[in-house]
Amino acid sequence: MPMQNYGIDIWGDQNFVIKEDRVHVNYKSSPSLLEITQQIRQSGLRGPLILRFPHLIGKQINTLYKTFNAALKENDYTGKFRAVFPLKVNQFPEAVNAIIDHGGPHSYGLEAGSKAELIIAMAKTPKGSPITVNGFKDTEMITLGFMAAHMGHDITLTIEGIGELESIIDVASSCNLKVPNIGIRIRLKSSGSGAWAKSGGMDAKFGLTTTELLEAIALLREHELLQHFSMIHFHIGSQMEDIAPLKKALREAGNIYAELKKMGAEGLRAINIGGGLAVEYSQHLSTRLKNYHLGEFASSVAFLLKEVMDAKGVAQPDIFTESGRYIVASHAVLIAPVLELFSHDYQEKSLKLKETNPPLIQELRTLNEQVTPKNCIEYMHDALDHMESVLTLFELGYIDLEDRSNAEILVHLIIKKSLYLFRGKPTPELERLQGRMQERYLINSSIFQSMPDYWGLGQHFPVMPLDRLDKPAIRSASLWDITCDSDGEVAFNPEAPLYLHDVNLDEEEYYLGFFNIGAYQETLGMQHNLFKHPSECTIMLNNEGYEIENFIESENLLTILSDLGYNDSQILIQLKNNLAQAHFSTEEEKSDTLQQLELYLYQNGYLRTTN
Ligand SMILES: *Cc1c(COP(=O)(O)O)cnc(C)c1O
């Protein structure tokens, strides 16, 4: 069935709305994505484009704090709610700056999982906002953590194993820097659900077992560092679609916390419940992913932790979260121009009819001219039947290639018209035909670069055209990217079908928007075929209109090669010399061509000509 709103009410979270024929940003002046795109392309930019909307990051941060604080209040919870953004989810400066700007009033902090991320956190986190450090750490990284504490940061180094604790002890005894807070990641019996569940559970890559935990406490006590042990941490996995595993994990972690308090861990005051808040990516009700809302999530956390602490007579800890996907997924939209529809040839104008055509072709022409809502099913059956006969005649040598091509075009046209006339009330047969008559849309972008989780995990991202939303979309669509790799395809999925418009790209433009791509995709993206991070810009909306800020074009060809270790200036000279030595009829032609070559080398690596 042609879906007109592309499930925007399922995945859109009111961030985008359809007005008349276009999708608009649902904020302040509410411009359409198409008008923003066209304005940016006026400068001559071609290729895919990432639009960032910082106000959506602000919305997520505010909602997170508001919902958690309300849940704490409702449950008379005495600990505080605190949160950090895990940098691995999006380290791009424009995303991080928006996080810092909007997070400031809440003292929202940053989480780092590597040295480079730790440096970002140390430079960007305002004093008073927390920094947490997870992942494997060497002595240098631990020392950086001590430096951050010495600078006055509220930093917690979460240890993933006893070895790291030993390094902390060494650094503490060998330097006079301030000792940071120490967190311990605990290995829970309960694990998460979904494709990312490997982060939790007894066989998880991270965290200390109960035995190691006891050993850690003994070591901390022995080296007089126990007062710095302030947090226990767990993370049961990303894109947690079911809330049940979290509840189990909270009970288990809550009891561990209470026991540690009773054992004399005086500095201990926080439970870090990791990330994992899910984002809805589905465009169809039947494939919806999440089974909870943030409100339920926050209430469960407050209620369960309070219950456990009350039962054990322990004060309620502060609650830290590290949800990243939830914060940034919605802020980025990838706009990909459609370059080509592969069955474009099946058009009326491609017909090459002869003066006299075989009778079957004549009949197909009549069917095509006279198809109506009433007769379309019957005519379609006739057309399919005629097609069989045409193919038989061709094999027997009675008709030629031109006749066969005409027949194919006519049958396609008749089926397309029938699908259009019958839209909204498709029969199973029509749906089957529609599935078989897929149109392949070639998009000017790389799935490997811009949606690597589609390639690696089959993660679907909501997609819709930016305009024509008042017109029926009847072509069952598969999307092909411009890499030379057959995996660079979003295939048509009958369980969650995508229908797009029939467009004539010789005369009009057609853009697809891919939504919720702001989490993980940008740095996970691969440079397959040397397609690099797309051009990007930040859109700041106000009541009158919007500003386009921080426009960064995708890397030009010479820079791409230089990044890879080639000597780009040498390549430039070499190509120019080779061309200069070639034969040209005039000096002018030669210098024009040389100029053209240089121009090309300074353009970005995506396709330009068609769109
Ligand atoms: C990746 C990660 C997160 C973020 O998970 P999301 O699913 O993006 O919320 C939080 N904490 C830790 C330790 C992580 O490794």
Side-chain angles (χ1 to χ4, degrees):
M1 192 178 56
M3 66 181 166
Q4 293 295 350
N5 76 356
Y6 293 90
I8 201 169
D9 50 339
I10 301 170
W11 56 264
D13 200 24
Q14 312 281 319
N15 297 334
F16 300 95
V17 281
I18 295 172
K19 290 187 197 167
E20 285 155 15
D21 63 328
R22 294 179 178 185
V23 54
H24 287 248
V25 190
N26 189 22
Y27 186 65
K28 297 217 166 152
S29 62
S30 195
S32 70
L33 291 178
L34 186 65
E35 96 183 68
I36 299 174
T37 304
Q38 285 171 336
Q39 189 181 339
I40 295 163
R41 288 168 58 93
Q42 260 176 17
S43 65
L45 175 84
R46 292 296 177 265
L49 178 64
I50 289 179
L51 300 180
R52 294 189 201 282
F53 296 100
H55 72 275
L56 293 177
I57 291 181
K59 173 188 163 184
Q60 294 306 94
I61 294 175
N62 291 335
T63 309
L64 180 75
Y65 278 90
K66 212 168 106 186
T67 312
F68 260 96
N69 285 327
L72 297 195
K73 201 163 167 206
E74 202 174 296
N75 286 280
D76 293 319
Y77 194 91
T78 50
K80 280 212 297 282
F81 174 70
R82 308 196 73 191
V84 288
F85 174 76
L87 281 165
K88 78 163 184 285
V89 186
N90 195 324
Q91 306 94 336
F92 274 72
E94 287 298 296
V96 172
N97 290 339
I99 287 163
I100 297 299
D101 287 350
H102 290 280
H106 303 287
S107 300
Y108 187 46
L110 295 173
E111 183 265 356
S114 66
K115 287 183 201 174
E117 290 178 359
L118 178 54
I119 299 300
I120 299 176
M122 286 165 68
K124 290 283 178 182
T125 312
K127 299 283 158 59
S129 301
I131 297 176
T132 62
V133 186
N134 301 316
F136 298 111
K137 298 172 264 311
D138 60 7
T139 307
E140 280 79 0
M141 189 163 166
I142 286 167
T143 309
L144 282 171
F146 276 64
M147 290 179 189
H150 210 73
M151 285 174 204
H153 277 303
D154 171 8
I155 181 169
T156 307
L157 298 182
T158 299
I159 60 163
E160 309 277 0
I162 292 287
E164 284 181 8
L165 180 56
E166 284 163 352
S167 303
I168 289 180
I169 292 166
D170 286 349
V171 176
S173 64
S174 64
C175 73
N176 285 323
L177 296 171
K178 206 173 153 216
V179 180
N181 298 320
I182 297 168
I184 297 182
R185 183 153 175 172
I186 51 176
R187 192 173 292 223
L188 297 178
K189 175 173 75 32
S190 31
S191 62
S193 65
W196 292 266
K198 282 197 289 270
S199 302
M202 292 309 281
D203 52 355
K205 181 169 156 194
F206 302 107
L208 275 68
T209 62
T210 326
T211 316
E212 288 166 329
L213 185 59
L214 294 177
E215 192 184 335
I217 302 296
L219 272 172
L220 284 164
R221 205 190 295 272
E222 183 188 331
H223 293 88
E224 292 175 4
L225 288 171
L226 191 56
Q227 74 277 17
H228 296 286
F229 169 44
S230 65
M231 177 190 286
I232 59 167
H233 173 253
F234 67 88
H235 171 63
I236 60 179
S238 202
Q239 187 63 2
M240 205 164 51
E241 286 159 7
D242 178 7
I243 197 169
L246 175 81
K247 294 190 175 190
K248 279 207 202 101
L250 281 165
R251 284 210 180 81
E252 191 180 345
N255 277 297
I256 292 174
Y257 177 91
E259 290 299 318
L260 290 171
K261 285 300 282 183
K262 289 184 160 178
M263 282 173 62
E266 273 170 22
L268 186 58
R269 57 184 177 275
I271 293 191
N272 183 336
I273 64 171
L277 274 173
V279 162
E280 187 59 68
Y281 293 102
S282 174
Q283 297 191 262
H284 299 269
L285 278 175
S286 57
T287 49
R288 274 188 90 118
L289 304 168
K290 267 193 324 184
N291 78 350
Y292 61 91
H293 289 287
L294 181 62
E296 181 187 350
F297 184 96
S299 299
S300 304
V301 174
F303 176 82
L304 286 169
L305 288 183
K306 183 175 153 75
E307 191 181 59
V308 173
M309 300 310 147
D310 286 357
K312 296 229 157 160
V314 169
Q316 293 146 32
D318 291 346
I319 298 164
F320 271 75
T321 68
E322 294 177 336
S323 271
R325 184 187 298 275
Y326 172 85
I327 300 292
V328 289
S330 62
H331 95 282
V333 181
L334 175 78
I335 310 286
V338 175
L339 293 170
E340 199 175 324
L341 272 62
F342 278 94
S343 73
H344 203 53
D345 304 338
Y346 292 127
Q347 294 187 61
E348 213 109 28
K349 69 171 192 213
S350 312
L351 282 170
K352 292 199 178 60
L353 293 166
K354 301 170 176 167
E355 215 131 288
T356 43
N357 295 289
L360 274 173
I361 306 280
Q362 264 325 112
E363 270 185 53
L364 283 172
R365 284 179 74 185
T366 315
L367 291 175
N368 182 40
E369 276 154 25
Q370 298 180 354
V371 60
T372 64
K374 245 194 155 123
N375 66 24
C376 67
I377 299 287
E378 186 189 331
Y379 277 27
M380 198 180 64
H381 288 153
D382 287 349
L384 288 168
D385 190 48
H386 289 356
M387 189 68 223
E388 294 286 323
S389 311
V390 166
L391 288 175
T392 310
L393 290 177
F394 177 74
E395 276 161 27
L396 296 173
Y398 290 111
I399 62 166
D400 63 18
L401 208 52
E402 221 152 57
D403 294 324
R404 180 175 161 174
S405 153
N406 287 332
E408 283 177 6
I409 293 171
L410 287 165
V411 171
H412 258 88
L413 289 172
I414 294 162
I415 295 176
K416 247 162 73 171
K417 279 187 192 167
S418 308
L419 290 173
Y420 181 81
L421 293 169
F422 242 67
R423 68 187 185 276
K425 41 188 170 166
T427 63
E429 181 191 20
L430 278 174
E431 281 186 336
R432 259 198 317 280
L433 271 172
Q434 207 163 17
R436 263 178 35 203
M437 293 231 338
Q438 276 170 38
E439 180 58 273
R440 297 178 310 224
Y441 291 76
L442 181 68
I443 55 171
N444 198 357
S445 69
S446 155
I447 289 170
F448 299 89
Q449 169 61 240
S450 294
M451 282 166 283
D453 276 343
Y454 180 80
W455 174 74
L457 299 163
Q459 166 72 63
H460 175 83
F461 292 91
V463 53
M464 70 188 289
L466 300 191
D467 68 345
R468 291 179 180 72
L469 298 170
D470 57 344
K471 300 195 179 60
I474 54 157
R475 306 307 313 272
S476 39
S478 59
L479 310 177
W480 286 25
D481 76 4
I482 52 172
T483 65
C484 307
D485 192 314
S486 52
D487 276 350
E489 182 197 357
V490 179
F492 181 74
N493 173 7
E495 311 289 300
L498 171 69
Y499 298 104
L500 294 175
H501 297 89
D502 209 17
V503 282
N504 181 356
L505 293 168
D506 296 335
E507 283 160 21
E508 35 191 3
E509 297 177 322
Y510 195 52
Y511 298 99
L512 298 182
F514 291 87
F515 293 81
N516 286 345
I517 60 135
Y520 294 104
Q521 306 316 300
E522 290 187 66
T523 42
L524 271 183
M526 291 158 269
Q527 308 179 5
H528 201 10
N529 273 137
L530 297 184
F531 291 114
K532 307 285 277 211
H533 189 265
S535 306
E536 66 161 276
C537 57
T538 299
I539 310 297
M540 306 294 283
L541 290 105
N542 53 48
N543 289 328
E544 286 71 48
Y546 58 89
E547 304 287 335
I548 299 168
E549 292 182 0
N550 191 55
F551 175 74
I552 302 172
E553 183 167 359
S554 183
E555 278 181 2
N556 70 45
L557 298 177
L558 286 175
T559 314
I560 294 173
L561 298 185
S562 144
D563 278 1
L564 215 54
Y566 287 97
N567 183 336
D568 57 323
S569 37
Q570 197 186 347
I571 287 181
L572 179 63
I573 293 167
Q574 184 192 340
L575 294 189
K576 282 169 81 172
N577 285 346
N578 290 355
L579 197 59
Q581 283 159 24
H583 172 75
F584 288 96
S585 343
T586 64
E587 274 307 305
E588 195 186 349
E589 196 184 330
K590 182 182 192 168
S591 76
D592 284 355
T593 312
L594 279 167
Q595 257 182 27
Q596 201 178 12
L597 169 70
E598 187 147 2
L599 176 76
Y600 287 179
L601 291 175
Y602 284 103
Q603 284 175 343
N604 79 55
Y606 288 92
L607 301 188
R608 295 186 63 84
T609 8
T610 355
N611 218 316

